């Protein structure tokens, strides 16, 4: 059961969403053609750049062309194959454990059946897998299967917390349900919310030096109004946000 956010937080969340829709433009839902690529690629993407994720995935599949080969690869060889992504020694065992579990439970490295499950059952099935948390599960279900879920990555978490759509101590995991409760449960709406807040966090509301002078959310932003001194779980205390 979803939480019930205060009416002012719902209004702020939807207002910010409308402004970013206008600023970035409405996007059609898109994801990788292969859900398994999305699943494993999302694991590789943690704490690294998109370019490094792409390099790591491509090298892994060149060395180990089938998912069974990835599962059975000597661990040092798989670590070396995905070395372009940060923390390969952590990600490689996650990927192998995931594949072993998936193939053991379903008989194949294929998750297309998630399309036919309810959103709740699909989320439970994914998050029961080793190493799969709410962010990875929601990204996969929204991007590939158009389920009405909301991924909250580090950028979405930071921007929504700075503007005050969620509380200053709310974790990224808890933000999934809180923000979802403030929005229409429509896949296209949730996809655009995620993409726009993600882009805004990358380009404007950055971790280190937010470009507050260029921000369309400036007048509603609690972090800006505090002079960048708010203590938030998503961001360290800053002396003062940049006016650039």
């Amino acid at each position: 059961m979803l939480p019930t956010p205060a009416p002012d937080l719902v209004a702020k969340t939807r207002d910010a969403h409308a402004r970013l829709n206008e600023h970035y433009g409405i996007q059609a839902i898109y994801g990788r053609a292969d859900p398994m690529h999305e699943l494993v690629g999302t694991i590789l993407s943690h704490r690294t750049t998109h370019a490094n994720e792409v390099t790591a995935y491509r090298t892994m599949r060149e060395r180990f062309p089938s998912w069974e080969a990835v599962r059975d690869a000597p661990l040092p060889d798989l670590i070396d194959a995905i070395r372009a992504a940060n923390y390969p020694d952590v990600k490689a065992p996650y990927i192998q454990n995931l594949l072993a579990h998936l193939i053991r439970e379903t008989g194949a490295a294929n998750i297309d059946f998630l399309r036919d499950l309810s959103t709740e059952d699909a989320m439970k099935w994914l998050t029961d897998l080793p190493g799969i948390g709410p962010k990875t599960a929601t990204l996969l279900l929204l991007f590939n299967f158009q389920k009405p879920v909301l991924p909250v990555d580090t950028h979405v978490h930071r921007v929504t917390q700075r503007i005050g759509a969620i509380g200053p101590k709310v974790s990224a995991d808890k933000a999934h349900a809180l923000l979802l409760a403030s929005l229409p449960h429509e896949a296209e709406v949730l996809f655009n919310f995620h993409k726009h807040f993600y882009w805004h966090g990358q380009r404007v509301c950055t971790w280190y030096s937010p470009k507050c002078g260029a921000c369309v959310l400036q007048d509603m932003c609690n972090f800006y109004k505090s002079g960048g001194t708010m203590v938030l779980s998503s961001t360290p205390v800053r002396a003062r946000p940049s006016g650039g």
Side-chain angles (χ1 to χ4, degrees):
M1 185 174 179
L2 290 175
T4 304
D8 60 324
L9 296 186
V10 173
K12 174 173 274 195
T13 301
R14 294 192 176 206
D15 184 12
H17 175 48
R19 293 192 197 187
L20 294 187
N21 276 351
E22 183 175 353
H23 186 69
Y24 292 108
I26 302 296
Q27 314 292 315
I29 299 177
Y30 60 86
R32 297 180 176 105
D34 176 14
M36 284 298 299
H37 185 168
E38 191 77 59
L39 179 60
V40 176
T42 302
I43 295 172
L44 291 172
S45 73
H46 293 175
R47 297 186 180 183
T48 195
T49 66
H50 178 68
N52 286 345
E53 173 206 333
V54 170
T55 298
Y57 185 89
R58 182 177 63 244
T59 304
M60 177 184 70
R61 297 311 306 272
E62 286 172 352
R63 294 191 192 179
F64 311 108
S66 71
W67 289 118
E68 288 78 9
V70 175
R71 176 196 62 186
D72 298 335
L75 184 58
D77 292 350
L78 182 57
I79 290 171
D80 184 64
I82 64 170
R83 190 164 300 282
N86 292 342
Y87 309 105
D89 53 327
V90 174
K91 294 174 182 178
Y94 271 148
I95 291 169
Q96 289 191 323
N97 289 339
L98 167 67
L99 291 171
H101 180 91
L102 177 60
I103 294 169
R104 183 173 62 249
E105 292 296 315
T106 68
N110 186 305
I111 54 174
D112 290 349
F113 67 89
L114 292 174
R115 190 182 310 278
D116 299 323
L117 296 184
S118 70
T119 301
E120 293 74 17
D121 288 346
M123 274 293 296
K124 183 179 186 308
W125 193 90
L126 281 171
T127 53
D128 281 347
L129 291 173
I132 302 301
K135 186 185 84 168
T136 298
T138 50
L139 280 167
L140 177 69
L141 292 178
L142 179 60
F143 282 36
N144 285 87
F145 301 114
Q146 299 189 16
K147 303 284 190 184
V149 292
L150 179 62
V152 177
D153 73 340
T154 183
H155 298 297
V156 176
H157 185 214
R158 181 172 63 253
V159 179
T160 54
Q161 196 167 62
R162 281 178 174 174
I163 67 172
I166 56 175
K169 296 182 180 180
V170 172
S171 68
D173 282 353
K174 290 182 179 179
H176 285 82
L178 285 169
L179 291 169
L180 182 61
S182 292
L183 295 163
H185 292 184
E186 300 169 16
E188 185 176 88
V189 171
L190 299 169
F191 179 83
N192 277 277
F193 186 94
H194 169 79
K195 293 300 291 187
H196 294 163
F197 278 81
Y198 173 82
W199 288 337
H200 206 65
Q202 276 190 321
R203 303 171 187 179
V204 179
C205 193
T206 53
W207 177 83
Y208 189 74
S209 297
K211 301 174 181 66
C212 298
C215 182
V216 297
L217 306 178
Q218 182 193 100
D219 65 308
M220 69 165 64
C221 180
N222 294 354
F223 186 73
Y224 175 77
K225 292 174 183 176
S226 78
T229 61
M230 286 187 69
V231 178
L232 304 173
S233 63
S234 62
T235 324
V237 176
R238 304 299 308 156
R240 186 171 183 80
S242 165

